[in-house]
Amino acid sequence: MRESIQAAEELNPLIPHVSEIILGAAVFLVLLLAIRKFVVPNFERAFAERTKAIEGGLSAAETKQAEADARLAELEKQLGDARHEAARIREEAREQGARIIAEMREQAQAESTRIVEHGKAQIEAERQQAVTSLRAEVGTLATSLAGRIVGESLEDEARQRRVVDRFLTDLEAGTPGRN
């Protein structure tokens, strides 16, 4: 029995042989060394490159963000300057418009005064012309009437003029003619 127990212990399929354990451990160590020598450096190199790329991307993004912020600040400053310039231009335009309106009013007033003066002068000239024309007509009528009344001809121009002037003076004075 002892032999059968011993033989049964030796043939136990759950317990591996020492040679298998040593060979399995040796293969595991060789495989572990091969992975450590060939696979791990490639992974670490890939991780390092990826980390460097990510850090470079973050650095580039921060740089671009800083540039964008600086550009935004510059554009906001330019926009503020443009608004101030536009306000200044509007104010100048208002002032210039007010000046133009004042000048146009002055010109219109001067033109109006000139037109009124010209109208008065024209009216005065027409009045003088009408008075002269009336005097001539009244003189002609007065001499022909006086010639009929007096019975003599008043063909003499000097006499005619004296009679007309005396008649007009009497009319202007409001006194009736002399009998």
Side-chain angles (χ1 to χ4, degrees):
M1 242 197 152
R2 231 176 206 242
E3 270 183 36
S4 65
I5 292 179
Q6 216 175 15
E9 284 181 6
E10 281 186 28
L11 292 177
N12 188 357
L14 292 178
I15 300 176
H17 293 300
V18 176
S19 62
E20 285 180 0
I21 291 175
I22 294 174
L23 183 63
V27 169
F28 181 73
L29 284 176
V30 169
L31 185 60
L32 188 63
L33 288 175
I35 288 174
R36 188 170 182 197
K37 184 174 183 179
F38 296 111
V39 177
V40 170
N42 285 336
F43 275 128
E44 287 190 12
R45 190 173 34 251
F47 289 144
E49 288 173 3
R50 186 156 174 98
T51 303
K52 188 187 287 184
I54 290 172
E55 288 174 353
L58 287 175
S59 155
E62 287 174 356
T63 304
K64 294 287 184 187
Q65 183 65 38
E67 289 175 2
D69 289 342
R71 181 72 178 146
L72 179 63
E74 181 182 332
L75 289 175
E76 286 176 351
K77 181 181 177 281
Q78 288 176 352
L79 181 61
D81 291 346
R83 285 182 180 152
H84 289 301
E85 182 68 16
R88 183 188 62 79
I89 289 172
R90 277 193 305 269
E91 187 60 34
E92 285 179 4
R94 277 190 210 115
E95 291 172 1
Q96 188 176 17
R99 277 195 311 269
I100 289 172
I101 289 172
E103 288 174 3
M104 295 303 288
R105 282 183 181 154
E106 288 175 13
Q107 287 178 356
Q109 185 65 33
E111 184 68 17
S112 171
T113 304
R114 186 189 64 76
I115 290 171
V116 167
E117 292 300 319
H118 178 71
K120 286 180 181 178
Q122 190 173 4
I123 289 171
E124 182 60 30
E126 288 176 3
R127 189 182 75 76
Q128 287 295 331
Q129 185 180 9
V131 166
T132 305
S133 174
L134 268 161
R135 279 183 181 242
E137 282 184 42
V138 167
T140 306
L141 288 173
T143 45
S144 71
L145 186 61
R148 286 186 190 164
I149 291 174
V150 173
E152 68 182 78
S153 174
L154 298 173
E155 299 284 323
D156 181 19
E157 198 170 308
R159 186 183 293 169
Q160 204 177 27
R161 186 164 287 148
R162 279 193 312 267
V163 169
V164 169
D165 285 341
R166 193 176 19 191
F167 178 75
L168 288 176
T169 305
D170 288 345
L171 277 178
E172 286 177 359
T175 59
R178 294 179 204 168
N179 293 343

